[in-house]
Amino acid sequence: MPLLHLRNVDFSVGGPLLLDQVEFALDDNERVCIVGRNGAGKSTLLKLIAGEIRPDDGVVQLSGGVRVARLAQEVPQATSGSVFDVVAAGLGELGQWLAEYHHLSHSLEAGGDTRALADVQSRIENAHGWDLDRKVSDVLERLELPEEAEFSALSGGMKRRVLLAQALVQNPDILLLDEPTNHLDIEAIAWMEDFLRQFRGSIVFVTHDRSFLRALATRIVEIDRGKLTSWPGDYDNYLRRREERLHAEAQENARFDKLLAQEEVWIRQGIKARRTRDEGRVRRLKQMRVERAERRELGGTARMEVADAGKSGRRVAEAKDVSFAHGEKCIVRDFSTTILRGDRIGIIGPNGSGKTTLINLLLGQLAPQSGEIKLGTNLEIAYFDQHRVQLRDDLNALDNVAEGREYIELNGSRKHVLGYLQDFLFTPDRARAPITALSGGERNRLLLARLFAKASNLLILDEPTNDLDVETLELLEDLLADYPGTLLLVSHDRAFLDNVVTSTLVLEGEGRVAEYVGGYSDWLRQRPVRRSAPAATPRSAAPEPAREVAPPPAASARRKLSYKDQRELEALPARIEALESQVSELTAAMNDPAFFRQDSAAILAANQRLSATQGELEAAYARWEQLEGG
């Protein structure tokens, strides 16, 4: 029996139904990604599953005893207290008692209220709550969270980790994640991927991060014009089959419209037609008119174009032995590089490592403390700010872009501001809406519209992918690939970096900025391998950043394998090949449309078989690397 079943669910927020007669079932240990355009209803679906809102019609049915927890898209503004307080809040009133007990315990040494401590301790004992206290501590330890740290003082990435802990402490059978990678750096995203792979339960998540999606999803569910469609298999299979479906839909709509036009001509033929009119044909025509009126067309695709300011000088910027520090924290030390016209450079580093500072140094907006930066000639700079401070909250969307103008000059053509905003999927009503009424995705599209209306030959994009749907992301990738100027891109979206940039600057810590050819995946292959210290050397409290390590002496380069290990190593390639074949066969079977017509027990068994085989394959690869390395 499914853990969750939505039956004929309708939900509306005015206008066409956001969700229309939706059917959705979730089995144990599934990883389902919800995809769809901004505003399609993805977050609404998660809220319905979580029970935070009720459907207008239909039923949301949970199996008996199934627990659901949701990680929201945004960090709640009112959240305060210590990390322990926030995590324990996931347990409701009992969690509040546990947090109170911890505060009273810590204040006891300073002469705290022993009577109050005894009172809360009694309440916890009566509710059999000490097991849950240990569970909170266990979750904090697993997620490596400092329980006494103040939540408000944490970075955005750590705050999301705390909120994930708050969801996990409820021991959910279904974990709902709404854009869990937003505002996380690459290291934090990789940590979350690894953690969620080991989660024992079902996950329903929304994400625009295609690498994250590919790593986790076992099934993809698309929301399109109010309808849900389930696509078994991986993301690439979904893209291929979705294109096939849209092509078939377009052909069917064209056939229907042609037939409708012929019938409309027939009904208007006048006296001759009326004499021989077939009443059954008239009724069919009326029904066709109703069907055509109720058809929901596929939403438009954004059409983006960047205003070109002409060529800059060949040398855009040159840095020689540049150093800069904030207090005792060194951001850049002895950094040198030359940026040439047409370069597409990605900037990678953890949150707080100084990526924006590096950009400001390269643009001459920040003076280096030592070294020299020279800017090229004829530079026209357009800057996308991740915090969207360039948007004025006291103006509507139209005025933010128009800036008093009625027309936008774009590469020799003149376009009305409203028409220009429609290219970015803003209807006239949304274009006149106040900024505060726009979603995160709409704000990002608006900032892109404002940015691209300005003629430029040096484009700076600081986290442009947050809140954008996948289709808009892919369009932006195509646009940047054809951009004739120079691009500096800060992003934690690994697929976006791979598809856009041709080289990367990586902030590796302690002021080191290293330059690599290619995108994110190329950097992974080229970066220095972090080696563990010898057993005799005491470990430092924190892991050191990756650094070049000289090869060890030849005598200790590799230990000799035993006879048993050597035989195991020789057998592993064949075992890996066999496991890969099994994974391919299982995936192909799950891609068959008939797969989900089986009963839930068979589907669950197939999912578990695929998961177990993938686990064996990963273990075989790990063992192979271990034996190969000696």
Side-chain angles (χ1 to χ4, degrees):
M1 182 178 176
L3 298 178
L4 163 76
H5 206 150
L6 273 66
R7 304 178 190 272
N8 301 318
V9 166
D10 289 344
F11 189 85
S12 174
V13 289
L17 286 171
L18 197 61
L19 299 173
D20 183 3
Q21 292 292 289
V22 161
E23 293 278 341
F24 174 65
L26 180 70
D27 288 314
D28 189 30
N29 204 34
E30 277 201 285
R31 309 280 193 271
V32 177
C33 181
I34 310 294
V35 300
R37 292 191 168 181
N38 290 137
K42 302 186 294 294
S43 296
T44 300
L45 180 62
L46 295 189
K47 290 176 183 177
L48 282 166
I49 295 172
E52 296 173 17
I53 56 176
R54 296 178 63 83
D56 298 335
D57 196 11
V59 177
V60 178
Q61 180 181 355
L62 287 171
S63 294
V66 169
R67 291 179 296 273
V68 180
R70 185 171 84 93
L71 175 64
Q73 185 172 354
E74 299 294 337
V75 176
Q77 295 295 319
T79 306
S80 61
S82 70
V83 168
F84 187 96
D85 296 343
V86 175
V87 174
L91 299 172
E93 185 179 35
L94 179 55
Q96 295 174 12
W97 296 345
L98 292 172
E100 185 182 353
Y101 173 78
H102 275 255
H103 285 294
L104 291 170
S105 297
H106 291 141
S107 65
L108 196 59
E109 296 177 1
D113 188 341
T114 55
R115 184 176 298 177
L117 179 64
D119 175 61
V120 72
Q121 187 172 356
S122 174
R123 277 181 274 154
I124 294 170
E125 286 174 354
N126 291 336
H128 308 289
W130 293 119
D131 285 343
L132 291 178
D133 181 67
R134 281 192 294 273
K135 185 169 186 60
V136 173
S137 298
D138 289 344
V139 169
L140 290 172
E141 185 176 347
R142 284 173 62 201
L143 272 63
E144 300 174 355
L145 293 170
E147 67 174 61
E148 297 304 323
E150 190 64 29
F151 180 82
S152 59
L154 299 177
S155 66
M158 287 298 285
K159 284 180 179 178
R160 292 191 72 75
R161 191 182 290 200
V162 172
L163 294 176
L164 177 61
Q166 185 189 78
L168 292 173
V169 80
Q170 302 170 48
N171 197 24
D173 302 290
I174 301 174
L175 182 60
L176 308 176
L177 305 172
D178 196 351
E179 296 287 5
T181 64
N182 264 7
H183 311 295
L184 298 186
D185 57 35
I186 289 175
E187 186 177 349
I189 293 171
W191 173 88
M192 183 170 282
E193 272 181 16
D194 291 339
F195 181 84
L196 292 176
R197 280 197 194 99
Q198 301 166 36
F199 175 70
R200 296 180 179 178
S202 294
I203 301 174
V204 181
F205 65 102
V206 174
T207 185
H208 65 264
D209 188 320
R210 288 156 292 176
S211 297
F212 188 81
L213 191 163
R214 285 184 169 99
L216 283 182
T218 58
R219 177 159 62 109
I220 293 170
V221 170
E222 179 190 42
I223 303 180
D224 181 20
R225 290 163 283 176
K227 301 294 185 182
L228 252 66
T229 311
S230 182
W231 307 85
D234 58 21
Y235 180 65
D236 296 306
N237 173 67
Y238 153 72
L239 291 177
R240 182 177 63 255
R241 294 177 65 177
R242 181 177 184 272
E243 282 303 311
E244 292 170 357
R245 187 202 71 186
L246 291 177
H247 178 67
E249 180 183 319
Q251 287 185 319
E252 175 58 26
N253 285 345
R255 186 199 63 78
F256 180 92
D257 292 345
K258 182 179 179 180
L259 180 59
L260 177 60
Q262 291 171 348
E263 294 300 287
E264 293 287 5
V265 169
W266 170 79
I267 199 70
R268 289 176 172 78
Q269 281 182 343
I271 299 298
K272 179 182 177 181
R274 292 193 190 98
R275 286 177 187 155
T276 59
R277 182 170 295 169
D278 179 346
E279 289 304 319
R281 191 173 178 182
V282 172
R283 285 194 297 272
R284 284 196 300 273
L285 173 58
K286 290 180 178 179
Q287 181 60 34
M288 289 177 72
R289 286 173 175 171
V290 172
E291 286 182 35
R292 182 64 185 87
E294 291 179 348
R295 182 196 299 170
R296 292 177 66 174
E297 301 289 352
L298 184 67
T301 301
R303 297 183 295 276
M304 300 181 187
E305 184 180 359
V306 184
D308 183 14
K311 288 186 176 181
S312 65
R314 182 174 179 276
R315 185 183 65 186
V316 173
E318 183 178 10
K320 289 184 178 178
D321 301 323
V322 169
S323 295
F324 186 87
H326 284 305
E328 295 182 359
K329 182 180 179 182
C330 182
I331 306 296
V332 174
R333 177 182 288 122
D334 299 330
F335 169 61
S336 299
T337 192
T338 301
I339 299 174
L340 301 178
R341 183 179 63 232
D343 282 349
R344 287 171 171 74
I345 300 173
I347 299 177
I348 298 174
N351 286 339
S353 60
K355 299 184 293 296
T356 303
T357 300
L358 178 59
I359 285 177
N360 289 333
L361 285 167
L362 291 172
L363 296 181
Q365 296 176 359
L366 201 60
Q369 291 163 347
S370 65
E372 182 183 20
I373 293 199
K374 293 181 180 178
L375 290 176
T377 56
N378 301 324
L379 290 180
E380 293 291 340
I381 301 171
Y383 197 128
F384 180 100
D385 168 42
Q386 63 166 318
H387 301 297
R388 306 171 187 143
V389 295
Q390 297 168 11
L391 297 177
R392 288 181 52 182
D393 287 344
D394 59 327
L395 299 178
N396 62 22
L398 180 70
D399 292 336
N400 261 286
V401 173
E403 296 181 319
R405 298 170 293 177
E406 191 174 352
Y407 292 91
I408 298 288
E409 297 288 341
L410 199 63
N411 299 328
S413 63
R414 209 158 168 257
K415 183 174 285 191
H416 194 276
V417 177
L418 266 179
Y420 175 70
L421 282 174
Q422 284 176 348
D423 289 346
F424 289 80
L425 305 183
F426 285 94
T427 63
D429 286 343
R430 295 306 284 171
R432 293 187 175 93
I435 288 291
T436 51
L438 300 183
S439 68
E442 286 176 318
R443 287 191 177 210
N444 258 21
R445 287 205 310 274
L446 183 65
L447 191 51
L448 288 172
R450 175 185 167 95
L451 184 78
F452 294 162
K454 177 184 177 182
S456 70
N457 50 34
L458 175 57
L459 196 55
I460 315 295
L461 299 179
D462 194 353
E463 289 292 351
T465 65
N466 284 342
D467 304 313
L468 293 182
D469 59 51
V470 173
E471 287 190 41
T472 307
L473 271 180
E474 291 174 347
L475 179 69
L476 181 58
E477 287 176 354
D478 293 340
L479 177 76
L480 295 178
D482 296 330
Y483 180 61
T486 306
L487 172 69
L488 293 180
L489 169 67
V490 176
S491 181
H492 299 308
D493 188 320
R494 296 157 291 176
F496 193 76
L497 285 165
D498 278 342
N499 294 337
V500 171
V501 306
T502 56
S503 64
T504 52
L505 294 174
V506 183
L507 285 84
E508 297 182 332
E510 299 180 357
R512 289 189 303 276
V513 181
E515 192 165 0
Y516 298 87
V517 175
Y520 170 78
S521 298
D522 299 299
W523 165 61
L524 282 185
R525 286 192 294 270
Q526 299 173 66
R527 65 179 178 175
V529 178
R530 193 180 296 176
R531 297 179 186 260
S532 58
T537 306
R539 299 189 176 199
S540 57
E544 292 189 8
R547 62 181 66 189
E548 303 249 3
V549 177
S556 59
R558 177 173 176 170
R559 67 176 174 83
K560 184 178 174 71
L561 293 177
S562 68
Y563 177 82
K564 181 181 177 182
D565 286 347
Q566 185 63 42
R567 297 288 76 77
E568 184 183 359
L569 177 60
E570 290 171 0
L572 273 172
R575 174 166 170 72
I576 287 171
E577 187 175 350
L579 288 168
E580 285 178 338
S581 297
Q582 290 178 39
V583 169
S584 297
E585 290 169 8
L586 288 167
T587 303
M590 294 173 74
N591 288 343
D592 191 316
F595 175 78
F596 281 93
R597 297 193 197 115
Q598 306 176 86
D599 60 71
S600 59
I603 295 172
L604 175 59
N607 273 319
Q608 290 174 338
R609 208 160 45 244
L610 177 59
S611 178
T613 308
Q614 287 174 328
E616 289 181 46
L617 180 59
E618 289 172 9
Y621 267 119
R623 181 61 175 158
W624 183 52
E625 290 177 5
Q626 181 185 3
L627 293 173
E628 273 285 302

